[in-house]
Amino acid sequence: MSTLSKTIPLIILILLSSCSKRTEIQPPAMNGDDIFARVAAFYKIGPKPSGSQNAAKAAEHIRQSISASGLNPETDEWELLNGEGIRTVYRNISVDMPGKSKDFIIIGSHYDTKKIETVPDFAGANDGASSTGLLLSAINTLKKSGVKPHYTLKFVFFDGEECLVNYSGKDGLFGSRRLAARLKDSGMTSSCRAVVIMDMIGDRDLKITIPANSTPELTELALAVAAKEKRDFISKSKNSIIDDHVPFLDIGLPAIDIIDFEYGENNRYWHTAGDTLDKLSSSSLETSGNLLMRMVFLIK
Ligand SMILES: [Zn+2]
């Protein structure tokens, strides 16, 4: 065999491999003021424990906001006994933003609020509203930009994240467990590239603490995105957290929980009357929004 005949297949191989390389698509920039306005509007609905009239209002608010962005929301509604054994209606709201590929990334937030006997008007500015407003803003920003991501983005607003007694197979994570089971039953897990959950991401003093039970590749990607911006608002936590990413990990999908679990000194605003709008800032919401967008556009 001559040198030339060895070289030609090599050139073809290099050309083929460069053809299969994906071109990088830039996500549109998020706007903190727009996110904050959406968080505030959602927060003002008030407490939204699953099954309450306000939870139905909240679901309708999400649907209307998606429709106003020119997209068609889907509602998955079902009934189940809640953690206290009471028949409860749950609703997941979702919308698909088509990408170049039908393979998809789930971007999730819970919108229900914790039922707290001692704080009956608990409306969860950071815990529930911050990530919900962020996703609504991301949907609108993407739609307006006309940018088509590589993968289809499935935005999902989960009901029933908060437990009433203790997290178990019968309490808490109702919405995410529902979607994970549906993905598994329909054989669609192989088309799901990743699951990114946003929760409590608007604290003025933003310190995202990625829980240890997140998929390492996704954690490293989140850290790399922050490092590229020379920003120091994100770290790896040694602790695991039960949140909406867990049911997806349980069915073998890569999943990450982007959460700031240092909400006030010693997390003192978490699940207390202190979780109010004045603890949040447009700047933190914008940082979290851009982290989410840049991350999902880089997921392979
Ligand atoms: Zn909570």
Side-chain angles (χ1 to χ4, degrees), residues 110 112-114 122 127-128 161-162 167 199-200 270-271:
H110 78 90
D112 62 308
T113 52
K114 178 88 171 163
F122 179 80
D127 192 358
E161 185 276 328
E162 301 285 5
Y167 282 105
D199 196 4
M200 299 174 68
W270 175 60
H271 288 176

Side-chain angles (χ1 to χ4, degrees), residues 109-136:
S109 155
H110 78 90
Y111 71 89
D112 62 308
T113 52
K114 178 88 171 163
K115 186 180 166 194
I116 307 171
E117 300 296 345
T118 51
V119 193
D121 59 348
F122 179 80
N126 202 25
D127 192 358
S130 69
S131 49
T132 300
L134 187 146
L135 261 56
L136 291 174

Side-chain angles (χ1 to χ4, degrees), residues 195-246:
V195 179
V196 181
I197 300 296
M198 305 295 281
D199 196 4
M200 299 174 68
I201 43 62
D203 185 359
R204 292 180 165 275
D205 180 22
L206 189 66
K207 285 188 193 122
I208 288 169
T209 47
I210 309 279
N213 59 336
S214 290
T215 301
E217 288 77 8
L218 292 174
T219 302
E220 293 309 322
L221 182 60
L223 292 169
V225 167
K228 203 174 167 192
E229 295 169 28
K230 299 188 172 53
R231 297 285 305 277
D232 183 23
F233 62 92
I234 185 165
S235 63
K236 284 195 250 188
S237 169
K238 288 190 181 76
N239 302 318
S240 291
I241 286 183
I242 299 175
D243 205 345
D244 283 322
H245 64 312
V246 171

